[in-house]
Amino acid sequence: MKLPLRLFSCVLSCGLALAAPAIAAAAGWPDKPVRIVVTFPPGGTTDIMAREIAAGLQPRWQVPVTVENRAGAGGSVGAAEVARSRADGYTLLFGTSGTQAINPVLYRSIPYDAQRDFAPITRLGSVPNILLVHPSTPAATAGEFVRLVKAHPGRYAYASSGQGTPQHLNAELLVRSQGLEMIHVPYGGAAPGVAALLGGHVTAMFPSLPSAGIAEHVRSGRLRALAVTGEQRATALPEVPTVKEAGLPELQMVTWYGLLAPAGTPGPVLDEINAAVRAVLADPAAKRRLEAAGIDVETSSREDFAAFIARESTRWQTLIRNANIHLD
C-alpha cells in the first residue's frame, strides 16, 4: 500500500528526528574521558586485559581511557555501578562469566539485571582456571589431592577470588563432586588469594591462569599446579594436565570476558567501541602479550556476544542447579 506523499514525508521526518540524537552522540563521541570498570582488584586477569585494551584505545580516541577497580560480591558491586551509570558510552563494564551468567543464578538476589541492564559490545577472551596447591601439600596429582582431602575432612582450606566467582564455583564443583569437606576462604580478588596460598595460609586455589604471576610461581616451585580446567593444556604450562586427563572432567570450564555498556547506550556509539576494541585486540603485539599471559583472545559482533551470553546463562543455570549451589 502506498502512503500519501504528505504522510510519507511526516513518517520520514519523524524517523530522522528520532535517530538524530543517536547519530549526533556518535559523531562527537568521545569528547571526554572513558572509564572501564573492572569488578576485581588490580593484579587479576580482568585487570591485566582491561589495561591492555585501555592503552590501545587512548591513542585511537585521543581522550584518557582509565581502568577503575570496583571489587566486591563476586563482581556484583562493579556491575551494579555500571548498570546505574548514564547510557552515554563513557562508562563501560569489563564483564565476566561471573557477572553476566553465573551471579544471576548463583545468588538469590543481586543489585542488577544481567540481561536488562546492559548492552553487550564484544567478547574479549577466555582463560582456564588452574588447580594450585602449596608445595608443602603431600599430593603431586589431582587424584592424590582428592584422596588426601577425603582422608582428613575439614582440615584443608581453599582460597577463592570471592564468593560466587568462577574460581569459587570451580572449587565447589570439586568439593561436591568428590564428597570432600574443605574450608572456603574468600578474598577480594585473585592477587590476595594467591598471596595467601604462597604464604601457606590456605592449601589450594583455582585462580585463572594469568592472575598474579602464577606461571612464574609454578615454574619456580613456589606453587604446585595439578590441573588446568580448559579443553587443552595451557601453552604457558604445557606440562600440567587438563582436568579431563586428571580424571575430573566435571571440573572443565573457562572464565570468559566481554565489554558491555549500560542499556540504552546509542547504537552508533556501541558500534564505534566494538570496532575500536577489536582493532586493539587484532594488533599482533597486544595479542602476543595477552596470549603469553595465558589469555585466549576472542572478539565478536554485538549480536553474537548477546547470543553467547544467553547460551551461557542457560548452561550455568543448569550446572548450578544440578550441583545445588546457592549463595545469599
Side-chain angles (χ1 to χ4, degrees), residues 10 14 30 38 67 75 90 153 167 169 173 197 199-200 208 213 218 232 258 268-269 282 305 322:
C10 179
C14 291
V38 170
V67 173
Y90 290 100
Q167 295 74 32
L169 188 57
L173 289 173
L197 183 58
S208 57
V218 171
Q232 308 293 331
V269 171
F305 186 33
N322 288 345

Side-chain angles (χ1 to χ4, degrees), residues 219-233:
R219 294 190 194 104
S220 69
R222 292 191 293 271
L223 294 175
R224 183 181 301 146
L226 303 184
V228 293
T229 64
E231 293 183 7
Q232 308 293 331
R233 293 194 179 199

Side-chain angles (χ1 to χ4, degrees), residues 103-286:
N103 290 2
V105 185
L106 189 65
Y107 286 92
R108 288 184 170 87
S109 177
I110 57 173
Y112 63 92
D113 187 304
Q115 297 291 329
R116 184 191 64 209
D117 292 344
F118 301 99
I121 299 173
T122 179
R123 288 178 69 181
L124 298 172
S126 63
V127 298
N129 296 330
I130 183 165
L131 173 55
L132 300 174
V133 295
H134 189 269
S136 65
T137 307
T141 68
E144 289 179 4
F145 178 70
V146 168
R147 290 190 290 274
L148 174 70
V149 176
K150 190 169 286 188
H152 303 281
R155 176 186 294 185
Y156 296 104
Y158 72 87
S160 80
S161 301
Q163 287 273 11
T165 58
Q167 295 74 32
H168 172 212
L169 188 57
N170 231 153
E172 277 297 300
L173 289 173
L174 172 65
V175 167
R176 295 182 187 231
S177 67
Q178 302 301 311
L180 309 179
E181 290 183 32
M182 295 187 73
I183 300 166
H184 175 213
V185 184
Y187 288 86
V194 170
L197 183 58
L198 286 165
H201 305 298
V202 293
T203 304
M205 190 177 181
F206 265 100
S208 57
L209 180 54
S211 301
I214 284 169
E216 290 77 9
H217 292 319
V218 171
R219 294 190 194 104
S220 69
R222 292 191 293 271
L223 294 175
R224 183 181 301 146
L226 303 184
V228 293
T229 64
E231 293 183 7
Q232 308 293 331
R233 293 194 179 199
T235 303
L237 295 170
E239 70 282 4
V240 181
T242 66
V243 286
K244 185 175 182 179
E245 291 172 329
L248 299 167
E250 64 275 13
L251 304 185
Q252 185 174 297
M253 62 183 286
V254 296
T255 302
W256 53 260
Y257 309 104
L259 200 64
L260 304 100
T265 300
V269 171
L270 298 175
D271 288 338
E272 163 58 28
I273 300 171
N274 178 282
V277 171
R278 293 174 78 172
V280 168
L281 293 179
D283 176 71

